[in-house]
Structures are given as C-alpha cells and as structure tokens.
Amino acid sequence: MTSPNSPSSSPYPEGSAAFPHRHLTGMAKLQPWEIRFLLDEAEHWVEMNRKQIEKRDDRLHGLTIINAFFENSTRTLLSFEIAGKRLGADVVNMHAAQSSVKKGETLIDTAMTLNAMRADAIVIRHASSGAVQLIADKVDCPVLNAGDGRHEHPTQALLDALTIRRRKGHIEGQIVAICGDILHSRVARSNIIALSTLGAQVRVVGPPTLIPKDIELMGATPFTDMDAGIKDADVVMMLRLQNERMDGAFIPSPREYHMLYGLTPQRLEKAKPDALVMHPGPMNRGVEIVSSIADDPERSAVTEQVEMGVAVRMACLDVLTRKRRGVEGWQ
Ligand code: CP
C-alpha cells in the first residue's frame, strides 16, 4: 500500500478504503486522508447545491434515514434533513420531547426500536457523551453522531474544516484560535482533533475555569488572555457559553466575560488583518461576539459554515451508505 504521505496520483492510500468506517462517531478515529476524503466529497455537493434543482442527484432513493434528536438543534437537524432529502432519501425526524423517551423508555430500547424499523442510517444527537457509540454498537445500520454531550460533533468539525479550506486555500499551518467555553464544548473537541490532524496550529482561549486541564495532550496550546490568544491568528472561532452543561459558576457574570473574552472590532485587530471569524451557532450576541463582526460578510463565515453543513452531511450520508447500496470500489 502506498503511504498516504508519499507522492502519488491519488491523495488516498492506493487500493484501500478511503473511508473504511461503518459509523461516524467522532474525529478521533479518523486518519488525515479519511478527513480529506470526506472534505473532497463535500466539495462536490457544494457545487451541486448551487446549481439548478434538475441537476440534483437521487442516489439515496429508497433509503430511510432517521434523525433521532434527544437534544435541541436548528442547524444540525435541518441540514441532515435537507441533505438526506436532496439525495432522494426518505427522512424521518424523531424529537425526544414527543417520543416515548418521555414515558421512561431507555436509550437502548429506543435504539432497538429504530433498528427494528430497518433504517438505512440513524443520525443521533444526545446530551450524554458516549450515547451515540452505545447505539452504534447495537444497531445494524450506519450511525452518524450529531453531537453527544461534551464529547464530539464530527460533522461540525468537518464543515468548519471545509469552510477554512475554501476560504484560506489550505488548513496546514493555519493558526486557529478557538475561544470561549472549551470545557463543555463538543465542537471545540472535534475541531481540535480535526484541525490539528490536518496540520493547523490550534490554540484554545478562555478563562482557566473553562479550559480542560489536559488540553495540551489533545494538541492545543492554551491561553487565558484573549489578546495573546488571538494574536496573529488566521482563524478566530468563537464559541458560546454552554450554560446547559454547567453545574456551577464558571464565570463571574456575562458582562465581565464579554469584557475579557468577547470578540469586538478592537480585539480582532490583534489577529491577522485577513483573519476569518467563525461561530458554529447558536450565537449569543453581545456575550462572546458583537453583531458588527458576526454580520460582517468580509470577516464572518457564519452563514458559509451553515451552507457547508448541508454539503458535508450529504457527503457523510452518501459515503456511509455506499456499502448498503452496493456501490463498487468504496473499499
Ligand atoms: N452548531 C450546531 O450544532 O447548531 P445546532 O445546535 O443548532 O444544531
């Protein structure tokens, strides 16, 4: 097999699976070329999505995708639904608030129920870290993690990587400052893994109470001073305070937090002049970011991130169902 790092006409290892995984539960399990493969696949869908409706592709026709969301979502749920429908699949959404989970049904029983319905892919969001892997181990079809607790949000990291690659041309060597509540953020965790795997220099910036103690082991450099953390950054990725996951007081007040860690035009001047501002959403305007930056199309990639989310999820649904669809040469 050709080394993925050796010169070759293909960017992927010769004769092997570009994506040999049954599920997408996190970025931690992926090799650099596997991440690049998903990004390359997504590029195709970005272009297709910008074309006329009649040019679209029904390759998932006849497949049933279940979106099982045990936590609230706007972007991830809708973009998985749109992604599946654009590829011709039947998409069913299960909202925990209206399901038998409210009657005391366990996660495993719910998973086995979805499995018995013979879904072709299940997309899961859950408040508990590890819940998605638990379900993936029990069901017969591919499972895609749409965010599990503080653990991982792999399609968010993929859409962020795609946004950076398209705006900056490449990811390797980019200085990416991820700022805010790192401790409770699955977005931060998946992005640290994905972007450092792809060769970016990743910094995390926030109050000491919101930075995990072992963050350097994950390949990120911690900063507690915002100005120092974003100095000369190519990308400034802002995160909201995940109040729903906090079991105590992690910051003195939102006002003080904004003074120390909010992204303002003055503070952004510390980053590179062409620094890209990102936010996975939902934003808390006036807390971690001010509107004049969030809404500035020259600096902010927020809406582009949402657009990339549909393309990335189309790529993931396509790639993960190839074996079920009998697509030759996928491995
Ligand atoms: N970025 C993200 O996961 O947003 P939603 O919670 O709206 O899905």
Side-chain angles (χ1 to χ4, degrees):
M1 183 197 294
T2 308
S3 157
N5 298 319
S6 69
S8 155
S9 57
S10 165
Y12 316 120
E14 217 168 89
S16 78
F19 198 80
H21 303 275
R22 186 155 165 255
H23 307 292
L24 180 64
T25 53
M27 302 310 296
K29 296 177 179 171
L30 303 188
Q31 299 293 328
W33 63 91
E34 293 167 352
I35 301 174
R36 286 197 296 271
F37 172 70
L38 291 176
L39 299 182
D40 293 346
E41 292 285 311
E43 285 284 3
H44 167 73
W45 297 117
V46 175
E47 300 312 319
M48 287 294 280
N49 287 338
R50 290 178 178 180
K51 287 184 183 160
Q52 299 297 316
I53 191 84
E54 58 268 23
K55 302 254 174 70
R56 291 201 179 137
D57 182 327
D58 260 7
R59 65 181 65 188
L60 300 195
H61 177 75
L63 268 58
T64 301
I65 296 166
I66 300 180
N67 291 326
F69 276 57
F70 298 84
E71 254 194 352
N72 292 345
S73 169
T74 298
R75 281 149 285 268
T76 313
L77 175 60
L78 289 180
S79 60
F80 264 116
E81 182 173 359
I82 291 167
K85 287 180 172 169
R86 279 200 186 150
L87 292 171
D90 295 315
V91 183
V92 185
N93 294 335
M94 192 208 87
H95 300 277
Q98 292 133 30
S99 75
S100 289
V101 171
K102 285 284 165 199
K103 302 175 195 164
E105 186 162 63
T106 66
L107 180 61
I108 297 296
D109 284 342
T110 305
M112 296 320 293
T113 301
L114 301 183
N115 195 48
M117 292 175 185
R118 300 198 176 275
D120 294 293
I122 303 177
V123 180
I124 301 167
R125 169 168 287 193
H126 200 281
S128 299
S129 304
V132 176
Q133 186 63 55
L134 197 70
I135 294 178
D137 292 341
K138 298 271 179 210
V139 301
D140 300 320
C141 66
V143 169
L144 294 90
N145 184 356
D148 64 326
R150 306 176 183 190
H151 176 228
E152 283 236 34
H153 194 349
T155 55
Q156 180 69 47
L158 288 167
L159 76 87
D160 289 336
L162 185 63
T163 305
I164 294 171
R165 196 173 77 166
R166 288 175 67 90
R167 280 282 192 116
K168 297 288 180 185
H170 58 95
I171 292 172
E172 193 169 3
Q174 300 288 335
I175 300 175
V176 181
I178 306 177
C179 311
D181 180 358
I182 311 298
L183 183 68
H184 301 100
S185 175
R186 55 198 177 205
V187 174
R189 191 178 159 80
S190 288
N191 262 307
I192 291 167
I193 297 167
L195 295 173
S196 58
T197 300
L198 295 174
Q201 292 178 44
V202 182
R203 302 172 182 172
V204 293
V205 186
T209 48
L210 292 176
I211 295 185
K213 299 286 171 265
D214 60 351
I215 198 74
E216 279 160 292
L217 297 178
M218 289 181 65
T221 307
F223 289 82
T224 53
D225 179 85
M226 180 78 171
D227 289 350
I230 66 170
K231 188 173 184 310
D232 297 330
D234 297 289
V235 178
V236 180
M237 186 183 293
M238 301 306 299
L239 302 175
R240 74 181 171 91
L241 294 166
Q242 306 247 319
N243 293 309
E244 72 276 24
R245 296 189 215 290
M246 293 184 189
D247 54 5
F250 286 81
I251 57 161
S253 70
R255 186 181 150 81
E256 192 166 334
Y257 178 82
H258 176 72
M259 299 259 295
L260 292 172
Y261 296 101
L263 191 63
T264 59
Q266 297 74 16
R267 190 158 269 149
L268 187 56
E269 283 176 15
K270 302 278 188 270
K272 291 224 175 93
D274 62 347
L276 187 65
V277 176
M278 301 176 71
H279 195 306
M283 290 187 278
N284 289 140
R285 291 167 183 262
V287 182
E288 75 271 12
I289 190 166
V290 298
S291 290
S292 61
I293 297 177
D295 300 333
D296 178 354
E298 298 294 316
R299 306 305 301 265
S300 166
V302 171
T303 53
E304 196 175 326
Q305 287 172 265
V306 176
E307 182 189 5
M308 295 306 119
V310 177
V312 155
R313 286 158 185 140
M314 289 171 84
C316 292
L317 290 172
D318 172 32
V319 167
L320 286 166
T321 57
R322 282 184 188 172
K323 193 172 185 190
R324 286 177 95 73
R325 291 184 285 129
V327 175
E328 293 291 324
W330 83 284
Q331 68 173 12

